[in-house]
Amino acid sequence: MNERRTAVPPLIVTQDNSFFFEGAAAGRLLIQRCADCGTLRHPPGPTCPQCRSFEWDTVESSRRGTLHSWTISHHPQDPAFEYPLAVGLLDLEEGTRLVADIAGVPHDELHIGMPLEVGFAEHAHGAVLPQLRAPGASRTEEGES
Ligand SMILES: [Zn+2]
């Protein structure tokens, strides 16, 4: 990709969150799951907030959810994004929440509870990260590639 002057910090990848970014690069949304009590958690971390276990694995999300809340950002503007920028908080079907930018949905059509799905887009530093889209938008894109 072209190097863009951006204030967006590079991703900080650790042994606790690398699965998330590796999954996203492969077009999969992975959620961390406690291997002892089964509690799902996001963002990733080393211990289970329910039982304090350090043992975990992952489950693959359906990538479907509903919009819990959102905001429209106007400033400060970073060249890595187009403004005004919609950023949403998605309630995933699995029960965890995900924050990501919203693409391809007119801002005046956004409303709490609307169905959205998770696709993927290139981050300012070249990594691939989740992006919220209208249902079906990601399947169309995948069919074209
Ligand atoms: Zn647990």
Side-chain angles (χ1 to χ4, degrees):
M1 75 178 270
N2 295 330
E3 279 300 318
R4 287 176 285 191
R5 297 175 64 88
T6 176
V8 176
L11 300 180
I12 298 176
V13 180
T14 69
Q15 64 182 9
D16 293 314
N17 68 19
S18 62
F19 75 90
F20 181 81
F21 300 113
E22 290 163 5
R28 303 171 68 212
L29 183 64
L30 300 178
I31 303 171
Q32 197 174 30
R33 175 177 60 189
C34 175
D36 284 317
C37 76
T39 299
L40 301 180
R41 62 182 188 262
H42 184 83
T47 56
C48 174
Q50 292 298 316
C51 75
R52 306 298 177 204
S53 172
F54 286 93
E55 302 301 316
W56 58 269
D57 59 10
T58 61
V59 294
E60 183 166 1
S61 169
S62 68
R63 299 194 284 136
R64 290 189 299 266
T66 55
L67 188 60
H68 182 83
S69 188
W70 81 97
T71 189
I72 306 295
S73 176
H74 296 268
H75 293 282
Q77 295 195 353
D78 187 286
F81 297 97
E82 293 180 10
Y83 291 83
L85 175 68
V87 178
L89 177 63
L90 189 72
D91 284 322
L92 284 164
E93 282 185 340
E94 291 79 9
T96 56
R97 288 180 175 160
L98 180 72
V99 174
D101 60 309
I102 304 171
V105 180
H107 294 169
D108 61 358
E109 293 179 13
L110 292 170
H111 60 273
I112 290 171
M114 74 183 294
L116 290 175
E117 68 180 21
V118 180
F120 298 93
E122 191 174 296
H123 181 258
H125 296 285
V128 174
L129 291 179
Q131 183 178 66
L132 307 182
R133 300 171 181 174
S138 295
R139 278 184 292 282
T140 300
E141 175 187 278
E142 286 163 6
E144 291 170 355
S145 61

